[in-house]
Amino acid sequence: QVTLKESGPALMSPTQTLTLTCTFAGFSLSGPTMRVGWIRQPPGKALEWVARIDGDDEKFYNTSLKTRLTISKDTSRNQVALTMTDVDPGDTAFYYCVRIKGVCGSITCTYYFDHWGLGTLVTVSS
Amino acid sequence: YELTQPPSMSVAPGQTARMTCEGNNIRRTGVHWYQQKPGQAPVLVVYDDSDRPSGIPERISGSKSGNTATLTISRVEVGDEADYFCQVWDSISDHPALGAGTRVTVL
């Protein structure tokens, strides 16, 4: 059974560095076809893709957030960490950890989020 | 990709809800749909245009024609009241694109 669980601080002050951890079970993040990502959602608003890491340690970031983000993995502990520097109130959101699965046709592959964590709410306020 | 979804719709119990997701060139890639009930995390309900994960009822189906994908919920129930998001994967940037969602209200 695939499960993902987010953990991290609920309340942050502006300019601080946020670290979130995703602890997962039911699969191993190893090899180039395995992917785990982060998606966030400000309360009452739309989903926004944040970052992803592949099993071969390739990393990808939302272009608008890239300068503030670092994603990493600890395969032995089945964990993915997301660090965001210099947070501000605009970063207030539910942060979801997702497993990313792909299906390939003859030419290209498409990917989707087949399992989600419950999410963790991070509030940035002075 | 930029994905366009109507922001809201209303449907009576027992009727059929159809919501669209439009985007340039989405005919060339798979479209995926998520259901998010109030206070809960999203759940995948349709992937690759029309496939359903295990546990998703047959009342929920997906289709695509040209650059418009459609999520259909037949015999709507009160429990179907939720936000529904579409998503595609941009193979050039290797990033996902997400729609802003459609809020379905069951009257």
Side-chain angles (χ1 to χ4, degrees):
Chain A
Q1 181 188 3
V2 173
T3 61
L4 306 104
K5 185 175 182 179
E6 306 86 352
S7 58
L11 183 62
M12 302 281 296
S13 296
T15 76
Q16 287 186 319
T17 295
L18 168 67
T19 298
L20 296 171
T21 300
C22 172
T23 303
F24 56 87
F27 66 99
S28 177
L29 186 52
S30 57
T33 62
M34 300 304 297
R35 305 177 170 194
V36 169
W38 289 91
I39 293 172
R40 71 179 184 177
Q41 183 178 37
K45 296 188 178 180
L47 301 167
E48 179 184 31
W49 179 74
V50 176
R52 105 167 189 255
I53 188 165
D54 297 351
D56 59 1
D57 214 33
E58 288 288 309
K59 300 158 188 174
F60 299 81
Y61 300 102
N62 181 316
T63 303
S64 65
L65 301 170
K66 184 175 183 176
T67 60
R68 299 194 290 132
L69 296 176
T70 303
I71 192 170
S72 62
K73 67 182 177 74
D74 185 334
T75 304
S76 65
R77 300 179 68 179
N78 281 352
Q79 291 183 331
V80 169
L82 179 74
T83 299
M84 178 183 292
T85 61
D86 193 25
V87 298
D88 69 23
D91 297 312
T92 294
F94 289 92
Y95 286 77
Y96 296 101
C97 179
V98 294
R99 188 178 80 161
I100 302 168
K101 192 166 183 182
V103 56
C104 296
S106 57
I107 301 175
T108 63
C109 298
T110 182
Y111 296 89
Y112 53 92
F113 314 117
D114 72 332
H115 286 87
W116 296 63
L118 295 178
T120 187
L121 176 61
V122 177
T123 300
V124 181
S125 174
S126 55
Chain B
Y1 290 97
E2 281 199 26
L3 303 178
T4 301
Q5 298 183 253
S8 63
M9 65 176 299
S10 300
V11 59
Q15 298 303 302
T16 297
R18 293 184 181 87
M19 65 201 83
T20 57
C21 174
E22 298 182 8
N24 285 342
N25 287 321
I26 65 169
R27 66 181 180 275
R28 300 179 185 275
T29 186
V31 179
H32 321 294
W33 293 89
Y34 305 89
Q35 176 193 66
Q36 185 178 30
K37 295 182 179 180
Q40 298 184 21
V43 172
L44 177 72
V45 292
V46 166
Y47 66 97
D48 202 19
D49 296 342
S50 59
D51 290 333
R52 269 186 310 274
S54 60
I56 302 302
E58 292 183 6
R59 302 185 298 108
I60 296 178
S61 62
S63 62
K64 190 171 69 180
S65 177
N67 287 325
T68 300
T70 301
L71 182 71
T72 300
I73 307 174
S74 304
R75 302 181 300 283
V76 165
E77 303 171 355
V78 172
D80 296 326
E81 193 162 273
D83 294 328
Y84 293 83
F85 298 92
C86 62
Q87 175 248 318
V88 300
W89 197 274
D90 185 332
S91 60
I92 296 176
S93 66
D94 210 5
H95 290 183
L98 287 150
T102 296
R103 175 155 295 177
V104 173
T105 300
V106 181
L107 300 169

